[in-house]
Amino acid sequence: MSPIRPTVQVVGRRLEPEHHRLRDFLTRIAQPNEWFEAGSPEAESLLRGLELPEAPLPVVVDGERTYTGVTVEALAAAWNHLDPPKRSHYDLVVIGAGPAGLAAAVYAASDGLSTIVFERDVPGGQASHTSMIENFFGFPGGIGGAELARLAGRQAEQFGAEVMVLRGVRGSRLNGEGDRVELVLDDGSEVTGWVVLAATGMDWRRLELDGIDELLGHGVYYGAGRSEAAQCTGQRVVVVGAGNAAGQAVLNFANSAAQVTMLVRGNRLGAKLSAYLVERIERHPLIDVRLSTQLTGLHATGGRLEAVTVTDPAGGSSTEPADAVFICIGGRPHTDWCPNERALTDAAGYILTGQDLLADGRRPDCWPLDRDPLPLETSRAGLFAAGDVRHGSTKRVAGAVGEGAMAAALVFRRLAELGVTV
């Protein structure tokens, strides 16, 4: 991760998927940015001043450097986000840079373990989509999810951990001696580690609606970062979901003068939503909460969202104008890789760890050692799991941080078992 720069200027089209991806990238790495919608007088003036009136979009102005037709990957490379690992072998390899993975990196590196974190996206996981986390211990005024991830990543690096963004792990295998784990990265390169922590988190759960894939980035979005609100002032916004991420998004939009409709599938707003959010939402004049109501249709003109159909408790449907839909309906564990790694999961796909692997006190048949799995250890010895991806986790940022810290401590027990001295 490179240091945060002064505010960068961006000219692009908000409803163009790759342009939206760039803005989402900047928001989720907590990079201050000023967005200029292509075709606006402000955008035209900026491009003329740069003598780039016909430049391919998006354009990013970073101090004295200007990038045209830039992609997320090209900008990340220019900002040194894509430097290769410094070592070939690490004490701890963390897969996933959400709160659990970053916490593990902070505590492991601060205790002297060589540590590297691989993240296929950007740091923060689903938390980085959250506009404000108000009930996180030690931040009475709240903190944005992206900002928390940035600070945690910087803290891990200060202790010597390496945080690799836009860099995923394709697979792993045990070496001939069965101790070191060999990990194959997406680009085909390899690193090895004594211990691996899977903190792969959750993927957004998808809505099954006709036409939704064509409208992604054209008015329909999964998650809602803090920067989205400024682009929706005066617009009609629909938020689907009833968890804390959805509640924070609804308030963020409404406080930026958007007219917000919140669609809640259940019959009670507080079933999954913290009480302080329920209270604020219920008294906000720009928020219309629809209980027992679902999004059942999307309507577009010229490839751009213009209306939605919602189905109410009585089974009746209505079609209403909408400028944007933000889907915050939780997620599914990112565990498609588990069968190849011999990591057992529960019926919902969450990774089983520790005592949850035992059936009537018996270890699973695939367990190779003459001891029970350690807390947070999966059915593959030396592979641990923490955070939202783990069976029994609390699905709270603070809980994920606690599990990451616990995993870092357990690494030492595994290293001692392997005879590795740190």
Side-chain angles (χ1 to χ4, degrees):
M1 296 174 65
S2 62
I4 292 297
R5 290 161 163 71
T7 300
V8 300
Q9 297 172 305
V10 187
V11 178
R13 298 185 180 91
R14 185 169 66 90
L15 295 179
E16 195 69 32
E18 284 303 309
H19 298 202
H20 177 268
R21 180 172 175 249
L22 175 64
R23 194 179 78 224
D24 185 60
F25 169 74
L26 294 173
T27 299
R28 293 175 60 208
I29 63 171
Q31 169 59 53
N33 66 90
E34 188 176 9
W35 180 271
F36 297 89
E37 187 67 22
S40 68
E42 295 81 4
E44 297 297 325
S45 175
L46 177 60
L47 293 177
R48 283 196 303 271
L50 297 169
E51 299 183 351
L52 294 171
E54 304 298 327
L57 301 178
V59 171
V60 174
V61 183
D62 173 18
E64 297 181 356
R65 297 195 63 180
T66 300
Y67 307 91
T68 63
V70 71
T71 64
V72 168
E73 288 74 15
L75 193 61
W79 286 354
N80 300 319
H81 283 293
L82 302 183
D83 289 346
K86 297 176 181 178
R87 307 162 58 115
S88 60
H89 176 73
Y90 295 84
D91 295 320
L92 173 63
V93 178
V94 181
I95 305 174
L102 291 173
V106 167
Y107 287 102
S110 66
D111 282 338
L113 298 181
S114 58
T115 304
I116 190 167
V117 184
F118 291 105
E119 171 55 61
R120 182 167 276 125
D121 192 11
V122 300
Q126 282 196 317
S128 67
H129 291 279
T130 303
S131 56
M132 183 63 63
I133 304 170
E134 293 188 74
N135 59 353
F136 187 66
F137 179 83
F139 291 87
I143 184 170
E147 179 67 7
L148 180 64
R150 183 186 72 81
L151 293 173
R154 193 70 64 236
Q155 188 176 26
E157 289 179 324
Q158 287 174 352
F159 285 118
E162 298 174 49
V163 181
M164 306 277 104
V165 302
L166 301 177
R167 207 83 58 89
V169 175
R170 183 191 304 170
S172 70
R173 58 180 177 268
L174 293 175
N175 72 349
E177 298 177 359
D179 293 335
R180 295 191 184 205
V181 180
E182 299 174 348
L183 295 112
V184 183
L185 309 185
D186 284 342
D187 62 5
S189 61
E190 298 182 5
V191 299
T192 63
W194 292 121
V195 181
V196 176
L197 173 65
T200 48
M202 312 268 283
D203 291 326
W204 288 109
R205 187 157 57 85
R206 301 294 178 178
L207 272 184
E208 299 297 330
L209 283 178
D210 290 340
I212 191 170
D213 291 339
E214 291 76 16
L215 286 173
L216 289 178
H218 294 282
V220 177
Y221 310 93
Y222 284 96
R226 185 186 297 188
S227 69
E228 302 292 349
Q231 306 295 325
C232 294
T233 298
Q235 294 189 343
R236 297 157 298 191
V237 173
V238 175
V239 175
V240 181
N244 281 357
Q248 288 287 2
V250 164
L251 287 167
N252 196 29
F253 288 124
N255 289 337
S256 294
Q259 185 68 48
V260 188
T261 299
M262 184 179 189
L263 301 183
V264 179
R265 186 171 58 178
N267 60 8
R268 185 168 66 89
L269 186 57
K272 297 181 179 179
L273 195 61
S274 293
Y276 74 95
L277 292 174
V278 172
E279 181 182 351
R280 294 180 194 175
I281 288 170
E282 289 181 336
R283 69 171 184 247
H284 203 296
L286 294 179
I287 299 174
D288 176 20
V289 178
R290 312 273 187 90
L291 299 177
S292 303
T293 302
Q294 299 185 52
L295 179 67
T296 53
L298 301 167
H299 309 275
T301 299
R304 178 174 177 174
L305 180 75
E306 65 173 13
V308 298
T309 296
V310 297
T311 300
D312 61 31
S317 295
S318 61
T319 298
E320 306 169 10
D323 298 297
V325 171
F326 294 90
I327 302 169
C328 306
I329 55 174
R332 57 189 179 190
H334 184 204
T335 54
D336 294 343
W337 52 271
C338 282
N340 293 334
E341 305 302 326
R342 305 190 306 280
L344 299 179
T345 64
D346 65 14
Y350 294 95
I351 300 175
L352 295 170
T353 58
Q355 293 298 302
D356 289 325
L357 286 165
L358 306 182
D360 297 325
R362 291 180 289 106
R363 302 164 191 151
D365 293 338
C366 60
W367 181 249
L369 303 179
D370 188 23
R371 64 162 173 81
D372 288 350
L374 298 173
L376 304 186
E377 193 170 24
T378 72
S379 55
R380 198 181 91 178
L383 172 63
F384 293 79
D388 288 354
V389 74
R390 192 184 67 82
H391 170 84
S393 67
T394 62
K395 308 300 182 288
R396 295 273 186 168
V397 174
V401 170
E403 290 189 12
M406 181 180 177
L410 292 170
V411 171
F412 285 94
R413 294 178 62 178
R414 176 59 178 167
L415 291 178
E417 185 175 58
L418 295 172
V420 176
T421 302
V422 179

